[in-house]
Amino acid sequence: MKKIRMILTMATLLAGGSQAAETRPLVIAHRGASGYLPEHTLAAKAMAHGQGADYIEQDLVLSKDDVPVVLHDVHIDTVTDVAKVFPERKRADGRFYALDFTVAELKRLRVSERFDAKTGERVFPRRFPAELAEFRIATLEEELQLIDGMNRSTGRMAGVYPELKQPKWHREQGRDLSKVVLQILARYGYATKADACFVQCFEWEELKRIRNELGWEGRLVLLIEGDATSEDGTNYDEMCTPAGLIKIAQTVQGIGPPLGRVVTWSAAGEAKVTALVKDAHAAGLVVHPYTVRSDALPKRCPSMAALHAALFRDAGVDGVFTDFTDVTRAWVSAR
Ligand code: CA
């Protein structure tokens, strides 16, 4: 008996944070509990776990020493004090890039709520104050360890939802973001479709490469923009047709569209559901739209309750990205 228990413990340890019990719909913590703490800080991830997130998101870019760090953009001048600490390190375009700094250098920067790099104006004025507390940039491994640790200490499993940020741009800079990230994920027990992990990306060509050339066997999600096409040539409008969805389902397991492709709002504030979720389900794809924000509701949408009802009850989405883990968790758990 003791031996069996030991073997089971070993298996759990080796599996890392994988195989979360999955009930639908999923509450996905967008950049952590970013409505309450600066996005992508470990503090925001801990709060999201405590608030009952099913999955916690990591946006990923590479540092100069090839380490994936958890940041929403390849630029670091909208969430850190880099312009003060390393004023001479901007590129010709006036921007500061994570790729030009080692992890040790990135660790010297203070992270704050997102602001406009030119005006200094905060994007969400009512969120965590700029002047209080100290936050730092985290690496992917630091975050995976934090989530693994919280899964064990609380007994409540949260999965991971890494996004590869601009892999085409990284390759143009001579770097292979996807390869580095997938190796780390595999090392932490995220490698197959049974594991509690979705890898997401806006670039269709990169997702095909991940599946066909890099041999990734885990779940993939194609992110979809509101615009018809993207810079890398991905035609989102075409992919959102019934035929397009059937085609992409050969490579990915789900799509992440903006809210506006799933539900629109009339002048009277009534929800109108599009055909996207129905068509995606017919193709065998899950749908995880982005982003639910109580301080930035879609135009004409009257409330968070109305938004949640439209997405979950009317449209039948399989999960949502939310800045307010607790509010979305409460809505889902009440039903
Ligand atoms: Ca993201």
Side-chain angles (χ1 to χ4, degrees):
M1 187 63 190
K2 210 171 184 183
K3 199 171 174 189
I4 291 170
R5 199 177 304 138
M6 217 169 79
I7 291 166
L8 283 174
T9 309
M10 280 294 289
T12 311
L13 284 176
L14 288 171
S18 64
Q19 292 172 354
E22 206 148 285
T23 50
R24 300 277 165 78
L26 300 174
V27 179
I28 306 158
H30 182 247
R31 311 181 200 170
S34 54
Y36 305 103
L37 283 159
E39 65 182 48
H40 286 314
T41 58
L42 291 180
K45 305 306 169 82
M47 188 169 191
H49 196 286
Q51 290 183 336
D54 295 307
Y55 279 80
I56 299 174
E57 187 197 35
Q58 302 77 34
D59 289 320
L60 299 168
V61 302
L62 284 178
S63 70
K64 191 176 182 179
D65 37 358
D66 234 25
V67 177
V69 288
V70 188
L71 285 166
H72 181 263
D73 307 303
V74 294
H75 310 118
I76 49 177
D77 42 22
T78 54
V79 288
T80 75
D81 58 354
V82 65
K84 266 187 232 149
V85 181
F86 298 106
E88 74 289 359
R89 301 272 293 271
K90 56 175 175 258
R91 289 196 183 185
D93 63 1
R95 304 300 304 266
F96 296 83
Y97 291 76
L99 197 58
D100 297 337
F101 297 85
T102 64
V103 168
E105 288 170 336
L106 291 172
K107 288 281 184 190
R108 288 176 55 192
L109 305 176
R110 286 180 78 121
V111 176
S112 69
E113 269 292 325
R114 176 167 289 275
F115 56 89
D116 184 304
K118 283 201 190 94
T119 65
E121 214 169 294
R122 288 157 57 91
V123 176
F124 298 101
R126 289 199 300 273
R127 295 190 180 184
F128 197 93
E131 65 277 12
L132 296 179
E134 189 180 295
F135 304 99
R136 300 281 158 179
I137 292 170
T139 67
L140 170 61
E141 286 207 64
E142 285 165 345
E143 181 161 335
L144 294 179
Q145 289 179 17
L146 178 78
I147 293 170
D148 187 12
M150 292 189 293
N151 285 348
R152 295 195 213 182
S153 65
T154 66
R156 206 190 63 76
M157 306 297 274
V160 300
Y161 213 126
E163 179 182 348
L164 301 159
K165 282 288 179 186
Q166 296 188 240
K168 182 168 175 272
W169 178 85
H170 276 88
R171 277 213 304 288
E172 286 161 5
Q173 309 283 316
R175 305 301 192 87
D176 194 339
L177 173 66
S178 302
K179 206 170 169 182
V180 178
V181 168
L182 296 179
Q183 279 169 357
I184 293 172
L185 290 176
R187 199 143 39 77
Y188 281 82
Y190 303 108
T192 74
K193 292 190 182 71
D195 300 322
C197 175
F198 291 92
V199 170
Q200 48 169 337
C201 189
F202 276 105
E203 296 177 12
W204 171 237
E205 289 304 319
E206 187 69 10
L207 287 168
K208 282 194 291 187
R209 175 176 173 260
I210 288 168
R211 185 65 86 214
N212 304 326
E213 286 173 41
L214 301 181
W216 174 248
E217 291 177 1
R219 289 177 292 185
L220 293 173
V221 167
L222 172 67
L223 293 169
I224 292 179
E225 288 178 10
D227 293 341
T229 54
S230 77
E231 275 175 37
D232 80 320
T234 306
N235 188 329
Y236 299 113
D237 277 358
E238 201 177 288
M239 285 175 173
C240 287
T241 63
L245 292 162
I246 288 167
K247 193 180 129 212
I248 63 169
Q250 292 168 4
T251 303
V252 302
Q253 282 61 55
I255 54 169
L259 298 178
R261 281 189 184 265
V262 173
V263 54
T264 60
W265 299 86
S266 73
E270 282 157 357
K272 276 189 288 185
V273 169
T274 70
L276 182 60
V277 177
K278 187 172 63 67
D279 292 343
H281 284 170
L285 295 164
V286 296
V287 183
H288 298 159
Y290 65 90
T291 302
V292 170
R293 294 179 167 120
S294 61
D295 53 359
L297 287 168
K299 209 172 167 190
R300 296 186 295 273
C301 167
S303 68
M304 279 287 263
L307 181 56
H308 283 135
L311 291 168
F312 292 122
R313 188 194 61 203
D314 303 341
V317 301
D318 305 279
V320 300
F321 287 91
T322 176
D323 280 8
F324 296 86
T325 306
D326 57 340
V327 183
T328 302
R329 173 83 275 157
W331 201 94
V332 170
S333 296
R335 280 150 190 94

